Amino acid sequence: MEKIKVLCVDDSALMRQIMREIINSHNDMMVVDTAPDPYVARDLIKQHEPDVITLDVEMPRMDGIDFLEKLMRLHPLPVVMVSTLTSKGSEVTLKALELGAVDFVTKPQIGIRETMMSYRDVIGEKIRAAAMSKITRRSRFVRNDKTANEPAKLAKPLSSYVCHSRVIAVGASTGGTEAIRQLLEMLPSECPPIVITQHMPAGFTRSFAERLNKLCALTVKEAEHNEPLQKGFAYIAPGDSHMLVIDNGHGYHIRLQQTEPVNRHRPSVDVLFDSVAKCVGRKCVGILLTGMGMDGAKGMLNLRQQGAVTYAQNESSCVVFGMPRAAIELNAVDEVQDIAKIAPSVLARLSTVSA
């Protein structure tokens, strides 16, 4: 089996050396070369035809975002961004994902070698996911306001009963930031509450929620412990916290937990789905989007066994089909749909619900 060929682009000689060591320590991948800036990288791409590029954000001569935008228009390749764990870093990283980057790795500001080496398995997993991903050519346009996809127009308003008794639960991983955006943009403000677990580290989920809130008719926010679920709101699980839905006798509320990772993830989709299956049951709609691995598959089976309606994103619209495929193989899915058709289908089902 051929190894995954990786090109590392970073202006730091130390980071280039560390990334080479980490990547070459995995038996199924290798660094074919490194570049100190995008201009050198451009020539090395032609020379080596890498399967995956790791790309620093802040570099001289041309920053990573400008290079990524040109790459996705002219020569699309799977890219894993290397970003600093800062407020500015999170904003830039989300823009990179919007432009077509598959995933990102956070670069520490202190203890660089020790911390990066501790990310060895995570980096390997992200590069494997990137190598498996489907990359499409992107235009210059990047969404930055509420003028993107208009929310679906309902033939009749959703009943108060539906909005207060139903819950929509969503899980995603690799490629999920854009899939979640596409889903939420098409949902109207009078929707039942939506709870979302996207695999993402602490420090990025607040910026992700704020970015979505600018694009959607719904109110999108990072979830807070003990807050009640409200119609017209979408709640993003904070990075590094499991999110559960509970019924405390006064309606559905959010519970955040710092318990052990599940399926190597915190937040975990299975944790969210299992909690919703327990307290919402058949009144839930479960949606599993693009992602590597199988987190969420067993939780979705639990949802379906409780009578919930379940959806999985189809392979052609996924960046990585791993999580939806795992759920389909468990017979946990009622409908397999293109990302553009999930929201209209969910709304059509909800509009016919009366009990």
Side-chain angles (χ1 to χ4, degrees), residues 35-49:
D37 64 52
Y39 290 95
V40 176
R42 181 181 56 192
D43 296 331
L44 293 177
I45 289 170
K46 296 175 183 176
Q47 179 182 340
H48 296 291
E49 298 183 345

Side-chain angles (χ1 to χ4, degrees), residues 159-174:
S159 71
S160 296
Y161 172 81
V162 166
C163 290
H164 289 289
S165 70
R166 253 57 185 182
V167 173
I168 300 172
V170 181
S173 187
T174 311

Side-chain angles (χ1 to χ4, degrees), residues 83-97 104 106 200-208 210-211:
S83 170
T84 53
L85 187 58
T86 63
S87 177
K88 179 182 177 184
S90 64
E91 285 293 331
V92 173
T93 301
L94 290 169
K95 184 175 181 181
L97 295 172
F104 65 96
T106 54
M200 187 175 280
F204 286 82
T205 44
R206 185 178 297 275
S207 294
F208 179 44
E210 290 171 352
R211 194 174 187 86

Side-chain angles (χ1 to χ4, degrees), residues 9-116:
V9 186
D10 200 299
D11 65 319
S12 165
L14 174 61
M15 276 299 299
R16 296 197 299 273
Q17 178 187 345
I18 292 171
M19 291 296 288
R20 184 187 289 273
E21 289 180 30
I22 290 172
I23 293 166
N24 288 345
S25 72
H26 294 275
N27 293 330
D28 59 342
M29 60 188 71
M30 62 180 290
V31 173
V32 293
D33 217 329
T34 63
D37 64 52
Y39 290 95
V40 176
R42 181 181 56 192
D43 296 331
L44 293 177
I45 289 170
K46 296 175 183 176
Q47 179 182 340
H48 296 291
E49 298 183 345
D51 301 306
V52 178
I53 297 174
T54 67
L55 179 61
D56 188 18
V57 171
E58 298 178 2
M59 290 179 291
R61 298 216 288 168
M62 182 190 297
D63 68 32
I65 294 297
D66 289 341
F67 180 59
L68 178 68
E69 190 272 337
K70 290 178 171 62
L71 187 71
M72 289 301 155
R73 280 193 297 111
L74 304 173
H75 189 78
L77 282 170
V79 174
V80 176
M81 302 301 293
V82 182
S83 170
T84 53
L85 187 58
T86 63
S87 177
K88 179 182 177 184
S90 64
E91 285 293 331
V92 173
T93 301
L94 290 169
K95 184 175 181 181
L97 295 172
E98 190 173 301
L99 284 167
V102 174
D103 211 333
F104 65 96
V105 177
T106 54
K107 179 166 60 176
Q109 295 176 295
I110 58 174
I112 294 177
R113 172 173 286 279
E114 294 77 9
T115 304
M116 290 300 294

Side-chain angles (χ1 to χ4, degrees), residues 42-258:
R42 181 181 56 192
D43 296 331
L44 293 177
I45 289 170
K46 296 175 183 176
Q47 179 182 340
H48 296 291
E49 298 183 345
D51 301 306
V52 178
I53 297 174
T54 67
L55 179 61
D56 188 18
V57 171
E58 298 178 2
M59 290 179 291
R61 298 216 288 168
M62 182 190 297
D63 68 32
I65 294 297
D66 289 341
F67 180 59
L68 178 68
E69 190 272 337
K70 290 178 171 62
L71 187 71
M72 289 301 155
R73 280 193 297 111
L74 304 173
H75 189 78
L77 282 170
V79 174
V80 176
M81 302 301 293
V82 182
S83 170
T84 53
L85 187 58
T86 63
S87 177
K88 179 182 177 184
S90 64
E91 285 293 331
V92 173
T93 301
L94 290 169
K95 184 175 181 181
L97 295 172
E98 190 173 301
L99 284 167
V102 174
D103 211 333
F104 65 96
V105 177
T106 54
K107 179 166 60 176
Q109 295 176 295
I110 58 174
I112 294 177
R113 172 173 286 279
E114 294 77 9
T115 304
M116 290 300 294
M117 286 299 180
S118 72
Y119 293 166
R120 175 189 177 275
D121 291 343
V122 172
I123 291 170
E125 182 177 305
K126 289 178 184 288
I127 288 172
R128 289 185 195 98
M132 294 171 57
S133 66
K134 294 193 294 293
I135 304 301
T136 57
R137 198 176 302 273
R138 299 295 180 103
S139 70
R140 287 181 177 273
F141 177 67
V142 176
R143 294 168 176 80
N144 57 11
D145 56 33
K146 290 182 180 284
T147 62
N149 291 333
E150 290 294 327
K153 295 292 190 292
L154 298 173
K156 61 179 181 178
L158 295 176
S159 71
S160 296
Y161 172 81
V162 166
C163 290
H164 289 289
S165 70
R166 253 57 185 182
V167 173
I168 300 172
V170 181
S173 187
T174 311
T177 56
E178 281 300 283
I180 289 168
R181 176 191 60 76
Q182 291 179 62
L183 175 70
L184 295 189
E185 277 185 337
M186 290 186 282
L187 293 174
S189 58
E190 62 266 38
C191 219
I194 303 166
V195 285
I196 302 166
T197 288
Q198 160 73 42
H199 294 160
M200 187 175 280
F204 286 82
T205 44
R206 185 178 297 275
S207 294
F208 179 44
E210 290 171 352
R211 194 174 187 86
L212 288 174
N213 191 51
K214 295 175 182 176
L215 298 169
C216 302
L218 295 157
T219 299
V220 186
K221 68 186 296 294
E222 187 181 53
E224 299 177 55
H225 186 59
N226 283 335
E227 73 175 309
L229 297 190
Q230 302 179 66
K231 70 173 184 178
F233 277 70
Y235 305 87
I236 308 290
D240 206 32
S241 291
H242 291 308
M243 179 169 69
L244 299 83
V245 175
I246 63 168
D247 188 343
N248 66 0
H250 302 283
Y252 301 131
H253 284 65
I254 285 171
R255 174 178 291 167
L256 301 180
Q257 292 182 343
Q258 291 286 308

